[in-house]
Amino acid sequence: MQFQLQTVKRRRLHEDIVQQFHALIREGALKQGDRLPAERELAEQFQVSRSSVREAIRSLELQGLVVSRPGAGTFISTETLDSVVTLLASTLNAGTDVLRDAFEMRHLLEPPIAALAAQRATSAEVARLREILEEQQRQIDRGDTGVEADTDFHFALAAATHNAALIKVVSAVEDVLQHSRGQSLEEPGRRQRSLASHRRVLARVAAGDATGAQQAMAHHLAVVEPSGLQALEPTA
Amino acid sequence: MQFQLQTVKRRRLHEDIVQQFHALIREGALKQGDRLPAERELAEQFQVSRSSVREAIRSLELQGLVVSRPGAGTFISTETLDSVVTLLASTLNAGTDVLRDAFEMRHLLEPPIAALAAQRATSAEVARLREILEEQQRQIDRGDTGVEADTDFHFALAAATHNAALIKVVSAVEDVLQHSRGQSLEEPGRRQRSLASHRRVLARVAAGDATGAQQAMAHHLAVVEPSGLQALEPTA
DNA sequence: ATCATCAAATTGGTCTGACCACCGGACAGG
DNA sequence: CCTGTCCGGTGGTCAGACCAATTTGATGAT
């Protein structure tokens, strides 16, 4: 017999406290500039130790919701961008689909990245990309999905833009997608098509053709995108 | 006589510790899955109390860089989007041509974000955008640069895409750019032109015109971009 | 030899009580 | 009225302790 089990989230005390403050701020009970009760007093009210109160305040501070001033107290500070992000995330966080978001982000980023790479890639970087595609061919030949080489290709392409910020974001997105990509590459035909469109991208990059590289990447994404995910073309 | 004084920043211990771990992760000394020394051991190594170590770990955990498991230990976890964004931000602080990279990233992201926002924005979000532009008008009227409202606008637009990943990345980029933006808006004419092009973006978003919104945003960026920064059209 | 079992050691989570540096307002002295 | 001092409250840090969960390895059965 199978039970319908759900992971039991062991809540730590400070997390519980943080959530209570989130609610208070969201409901307007705590407004910009308000002073929180002293840590010792909060500890008594929540019936926890001061350590737990402090860890909670540390979280709130990192989220930009409060600021602590020694000798003065801890104050609500909801003017920053961080705080807006935090509250937004805490309200909508439950049902968001990470995978869909990541696919969408890739759709936005990768084509212009290919264009930038075409303009800036050094010969060494082009050689590196070529190497990766050869490795992908070998992986496919021996029955593998080639997902590692696939990820490497996108990362190396981002590296060729010489933009540190882009590289970091792409590495994050690729990390998230690597698992899912394994599935979409299960169908044998797809592996070859993915490799073929990679080659077209590389050809345009090597030629320094920014526009062509951008289009080739857009086409590649359309090929490898799991069917049913039409992130950029909703019914509007 | 006037002295040239600078504010003294008092650093808290746990902040210092967090920064050291950021560096270790960035340099690759700590990799995915690695286990941190026990809290008691870290306290001894850093010559601080366990409380400070724990507050530092709390920060790292909130940033998605580590996870703690009772009885097991604390482990590096850099697979999530959060973690990369965090490291990105901490890297950018000490970076060199950070500004150029951030501008470039914005160039890539914002136009398609405007398109997505046009397709997905709720009426409440459109109203919020309208509000922000009114606030920007008021700020400019009283002689301010309107940089806060400017940042708010771009953030709210990202929020309207309902893509959590995009929102995070944009918030990171906008954080970096906020300071520089103040300078570029020093010339009075630019403030009005920025506001005017914001309004054109909003009009296309409100109309649900994805293509128009994308073009309007591209135009806006061209207007507010500091001269001399031709991020997307290098000499190739 | 292999595997299941259980107890000890280790670890994160929490609590208590203490000390320090700092801030803010009351208060006394000019 | 202004000024400097004092003192209580506050955050920042520390030390030591106990608990619960997990790991680990020795033990014993198969």
Side-chain angles (χ1 to χ4, degrees):
Chain A
M1 175 150 190
Q2 274 296 84
F3 290 93
Q4 184 68 10
L5 299 180
Q6 53 179 340
T7 59
V8 180
K9 49 178 172 185
R10 70 171 206 297
R11 267 255 267 303
R12 290 174 293 184
L13 295 183
H14 66 91
E15 292 174 352
D16 211 357
I17 298 175
V18 165
Q19 206 161 340
Q20 290 198 43
F21 276 113
H22 278 186
L24 288 174
I25 296 174
R26 216 177 312 138
E27 297 164 5
L30 289 175
K31 295 185 299 293
Q32 168 70 22
D34 284 358
R35 203 189 107 175
L36 267 53
E39 296 180 353
R40 293 163 179 83
E41 190 177 341
L42 285 174
E44 194 178 358
Q45 286 189 24
F46 284 120
Q47 281 296 299
V48 299
S49 75
R50 200 179 151 206
S51 320
S52 297
V53 171
R54 279 187 59 77
E55 295 195 4
I57 290 181
R58 213 67 315 118
S59 293
L60 293 171
E61 188 173 66
L62 200 70
Q63 295 169 345
L65 292 172
V66 305
V67 289
S68 292
R69 297 214 326 267
T74 301
F75 302 84
I76 300 288
S77 148
T78 52
E79 298 262 296
T80 73
L81 253 172
D82 278 350
S83 61
V84 184
V85 179
T86 297
L87 286 182
L88 196 74
S90 81
T91 49
L92 306 178
N93 210 359
T96 55
D97 185 354
V98 179
L99 221 55
R100 173 183 159 285
D101 288 355
F103 270 116
E104 189 165 287
M105 172 102 76
R106 190 170 59 150
H107 257 286
L108 298 198
L109 282 178
E110 295 270 2
I113 281 178
L116 283 177
Q119 294 172 330
R120 299 178 185 168
T122 66
S123 57
E125 286 161 346
V126 171
R128 166 77 181 134
L129 285 167
R130 235 185 279 279
E131 237 176 71
I132 292 174
L133 290 193
E134 286 169 15
E135 171 60 22
Q136 185 175 11
Q137 178 70 68
R138 280 193 295 274
Q139 289 182 6
I140 293 177
D141 284 347
R142 66 165 183 264
D144 200 347
T145 61
V147 60
E148 293 87 0
D150 196 303
T151 301
D152 285 349
F153 181 79
H154 288 274
F155 182 76
L157 198 67
T161 67
H162 301 181
N163 179 321
L166 274 177
I167 295 170
K168 298 262 179 176
V169 173
V170 165
S171 80
V173 173
E174 291 298 321
D175 260 357
V176 172
L177 292 181
Q178 180 148 13
H179 304 74
S180 137
R181 186 141 43 194
Q183 299 177 347
S184 82
L185 288 176
E186 279 302 327
E187 318 163 31
R190 249 198 183 136
R191 304 176 193 177
Q192 275 299 343
R193 270 183 294 164
S194 172
L195 177 55
S197 57
H198 270 179
R199 287 211 172 98
R200 277 192 288 276
V201 172
L202 174 54
R204 302 327 305 153
V205 169
D209 173 9
T211 316
Q214 180 157 354
Q215 290 172 351
M217 177 58 84
H219 177 261
H220 165 67
L221 292 179
V223 167
V224 300
E225 192 83 341
S227 51
L229 238 172
Q230 307 294 334
L232 284 185
E233 303 294 336
T235 53
Chain B
M1 173 149 188
Q2 275 295 83
F3 290 92
Q4 184 70 11
L5 300 179
Q6 52 180 338
T7 60
V8 181
K9 55 176 175 183
R10 68 170 211 296
R11 263 254 270 309
R12 290 177 291 185
L13 294 182
H14 65 91
E15 292 175 352
D16 213 359
I17 298 176
V18 165
Q19 208 162 341
Q20 290 199 41
F21 275 114
H22 278 186
L24 287 174
I25 297 174
R26 210 164 37 223
E27 295 163 6
L30 289 174
K31 294 184 300 293
Q32 168 70 22
D34 283 359
R35 205 189 103 176
L36 267 53
E39 295 180 354
R40 294 163 178 81
E41 191 177 340
L42 285 174
E44 194 178 359
Q45 285 189 24
F46 284 120
Q47 281 296 300
V48 299
S49 75
R50 202 181 148 202
S51 319
S52 297
V53 171
R54 278 188 59 79
E55 294 196 4
I57 290 181
R58 215 62 321 117
S59 293
L60 294 172
E61 187 174 66
L62 198 70
Q63 295 170 342
L65 292 172
V66 305
V67 290
S68 292
R69 296 213 327 269
T74 301
F75 302 84
I76 299 288
S77 150
T78 52
E79 296 252 311
T80 73
L81 238 169
D82 279 351
S83 62
V84 182
V85 175
T86 296
L87 281 183
L88 172 69
S90 83
T91 309
L92 295 194
N93 284 342
T96 49
D97 48 359
V98 176
L99 228 49
R100 173 183 159 284
D101 288 356
F103 271 116
E104 188 165 287
M105 173 105 77
R106 190 170 60 150
H107 259 285
L108 299 196
L109 282 178
E110 295 271 3
I113 281 178
L116 282 178
Q119 295 172 329
R120 298 178 186 169
T122 67
S123 57
E125 286 160 346
V126 171
R128 168 77 181 132
L129 286 167
R130 235 184 278 279
E131 238 177 70
I132 292 174
L133 290 195
E134 287 169 16
E135 171 61 22
Q136 186 175 9
Q137 179 68 70
R138 279 193 295 274
Q139 289 182 7
I140 293 178
D141 283 347
R142 67 164 182 265
D144 201 347
T145 61
V147 60
E148 293 88 1
D150 196 302
T151 301
D152 284 349
F153 181 80
H154 287 274
F155 180 74
L157 198 68
T161 66
H162 300 182
N163 181 319
L166 275 178
I167 295 171
K168 299 239 170 159
V169 172
V170 166
S171 80
V173 172
E174 290 297 320
D175 250 1
V176 172
L177 292 183
Q178 180 147 15
H179 303 74
S180 134
R181 185 141 43 194
Q183 299 177 347
S184 82
L185 287 176
E186 279 303 326
E187 317 164 32
R190 245 195 188 142
R191 304 175 192 177
Q192 274 299 343
R193 270 183 294 164
S194 171
L195 177 56
S197 56
H198 270 178
R199 288 213 171 97
R200 277 192 287 276
V201 172
L202 175 54
R204 302 327 305 154
V205 169
D209 173 9
T211 318
Q214 179 157 354
Q215 290 171 350
M217 178 58 84
H219 176 260
H220 165 67
L221 292 179
V223 168
V224 300
E225 192 83 344
S227 50
L229 240 171
Q230 308 292 336
L232 283 185
E233 304 294 336
T235 53

